[in-house]
Amino acid sequence: MQYENRLNQKQTQIQKLVLSQNMQRSLHVLRISNEELRNYVKEEALANPLMTVSYRQKSQGFDEPVRQEVYQDQGSQSLYEYLLEQINLTMRATPLRQKVLYLADNLDDNGYLQLDFAQLSQEDELAWLDALTLLQELDPPGIGARDLQECLLLQINRDEQAHFLAAEVLKADFAAFVQKDWTYLASQYACRVSDLEDLLAYVQTLTPAPGAAYKQEEIEYTYPDMIVKSEAGKLALQLTRYAQPEIILNERYLADLVGKDDQEVAAYLQTQKEKLQELAQAIAMRGQTLKRIGQEIISYQQDFFLKAEHPLKPWLLRDLAQKLQLHESTISRAVNGKYLQTDFGSFELRSFFTQATVYHNVNGQDVQVDKVKAEILRLIENEDKRKPLSDQKIVLALDAQGVKISRRTVAKYRETAGIAGSSKRKES
């Protein structure tokens, strides 16, 4: 009796382990993008002689999926967002602050100012110099520099522990320092060569790229997981072949080996066949989950697909999880990195989930997000097509109306509406 109990317990433990491994595989397949899924399936096929993969099936009645540019955020906060946060906390709404915002909007990924400042400051030079000074006083030290020398000097001037020769040498003899002309510098500053070597060691602790630590947007390319089309006011949805590759059992190879009287070969083939079936099942479950989510998206956010302004209703992952009776973490895995193609652009599934948002104007009154989006569209519609509005100029226009909003939020609303950036809207 005790032996039977132990045997039953062992069998239960093995079943739980197999279930756990299958569940982990299914969750992994659900979480990854279709680009990652293709690589994953390719690796599995290389390791499994029974497996072949096909992407031949086509979307019947739907357009062929188009490879899209998508923007991937790296990190948690962009340099511009960090600077904007400081500017809003430390500066009042004045024309000078608008100049600081303009300069911040023209920094490159490393934090350097990408403007012809001399030309910019031909009018109201003192005000632009004040704006530049205010920008360069923000964190991180070195931000807003126009060249490497200025970048290092800005950091030195903020460092109470700076080397005693640092500011003087780098300001007056930067070229000689870069060339390590220690003989000239030792004579010029009446110091020892060892002092200059210590200075070099100190300067090497400074950063030549103060903005690089913050996230940047990288353009990547992917095929959409689903396509939605509209006909006579009705929406239809279909998975693309990239979202659900077909896993095929190589029957001929299996037949050639099954006939051999070799237990090890038979056991190996059985293991590989089970792995193939598990992967096929995980991909099928992935497709089913994505399609269920996609159907709910086009049902709940119907106006987004059918109306010209593409409005989004407030909607939380929690709401969809309850509707589909799935765990919220499952929904979160499914919507990240998955894209839905429409005839006006491709959108990440998570972008259809938003909280109810209001903005406050200068009078303390609430402004609904839909009205802010509508105003952004109005500004773009009425812009000079030869000089289209940048996202930052839209920020400034909204700020003039008393509505505070970040450049990144403007870009998000513009992209959601299927509107290209200013450079692509320009007409000659």
Side-chain angles (χ1 to χ4, degrees), residues 30-33 331-338 348-350:
L30 177 63
R31 178 183 59 80
I32 59 180
S33 67
I331 300 295
S332 179
R333 288 186 182 96
V335 300
N336 288 330
K338 317 299 190 306
E348 190 173 8
L349 299 190
R350 67 177 176 181

Side-chain angles (χ1 to χ4, degrees), residues 16-279:
K16 286 182 177 179
L17 177 61
V18 171
L19 179 63
S20 175
Q21 290 173 340
N22 290 346
M23 183 62 69
Q24 288 177 6
R25 182 194 285 263
S26 294
L27 291 175
H28 175 70
V29 168
L30 177 63
R31 178 183 59 80
I32 59 180
S33 67
N34 63 45
E35 196 82 30
E36 293 168 324
L37 179 62
R38 284 200 293 279
N39 292 332
Y40 179 66
V41 168
K42 183 179 179 181
E43 290 175 3
E44 290 289 309
L46 287 173
N48 190 337
L50 301 182
M51 184 189 301
T52 57
V53 185
S54 173
Y55 291 94
R56 287 194 302 268
Q57 65 271 26
K58 292 196 174 183
S59 305
Q60 296 180 353
F62 284 73
D63 294 332
E64 188 67 10
V66 178
R67 203 164 185 241
Q68 298 281 340
E69 287 186 358
V70 297
Y71 295 87
Q72 302 290 340
D73 290 335
Q74 308 298 319
S76 59
Q77 189 179 39
S78 72
L79 174 63
Y80 181 80
E81 288 169 334
Y82 182 48
L83 294 174
L84 182 63
E85 187 178 86
Q86 296 176 70
I87 292 168
N88 287 336
L89 287 173
T90 60
M91 301 179 197
R92 292 177 297 171
T94 64
L96 182 59
R97 187 181 77 163
Q98 301 306 317
K99 286 181 168 60
V100 177
L101 287 169
Y102 181 79
L103 296 178
D105 191 41
N106 283 278
L107 299 177
D108 67 14
D109 291 348
N110 292 320
Y112 286 84
L113 187 61
Q114 295 297 300
L115 284 173
D116 185 341
F117 191 77
Q119 183 177 0
L120 177 69
S121 59
Q122 284 180 353
E123 296 181 7
D124 208 2
E125 181 179 4
L126 290 178
W128 280 109
L129 286 172
D130 287 343
L132 180 61
T133 299
L134 289 173
L135 175 67
Q136 292 178 342
E137 288 176 350
L138 300 175
D139 283 329
I143 207 71
R146 289 159 289 182
D147 55 39
L148 176 61
Q149 181 182 13
E150 185 176 29
C151 179
L152 296 175
L153 283 169
L154 288 170
Q155 295 174 65
I156 290 166
N157 292 335
R158 298 267 292 274
D159 184 4
E160 295 180 357
Q161 305 299 320
H163 190 279
F164 72 97
L165 289 171
E168 191 176 5
V169 171
L170 268 71
K171 183 176 182 179
D173 285 296
F174 184 69
F177 176 76
V178 170
Q179 294 167 7
K180 298 182 182 178
D181 191 347
W182 300 153
T183 301
Y184 164 77
L185 291 174
S187 172
Q188 187 74 7
Y189 295 94
C191 64
R192 297 170 298 180
V193 170
S194 60
D195 292 329
L196 296 168
E197 290 173 341
D198 290 342
L199 171 59
L200 176 62
Y202 164 73
V203 170
Q204 288 173 338
T205 67
L206 307 177
T207 175
Y214 297 82
K215 78 176 181 186
Q216 310 296 339
E217 285 186 331
E218 295 183 355
I219 299 178
E220 295 186 358
Y221 300 87
T222 189
Y223 285 98
D225 300 83
M226 290 178 279
I227 300 176
V228 63
K229 69 173 184 176
S230 171
E231 286 187 358
K234 292 186 178 180
L235 299 171
L237 179 85
Q238 184 167 307
L239 290 174
T240 69
R241 63 177 185 263
Y242 301 104
Q244 201 169 16
E246 185 181 0
I247 305 300
I248 301 170
L249 174 64
N250 191 331
E251 300 279 3
R252 179 179 296 179
Y253 187 87
L254 181 63
D256 288 343
L257 293 177
V258 163
K260 299 182 183 296
D261 188 16
D262 189 322
Q263 290 184 348
E264 288 187 5
V265 171
Y268 170 76
L269 292 175
Q270 181 62 30
T271 298
Q272 296 305 313
K273 186 176 180 180
E274 288 174 358
K275 286 183 177 180
L276 180 151
Q277 292 170 339
E278 290 167 7
L279 179 58

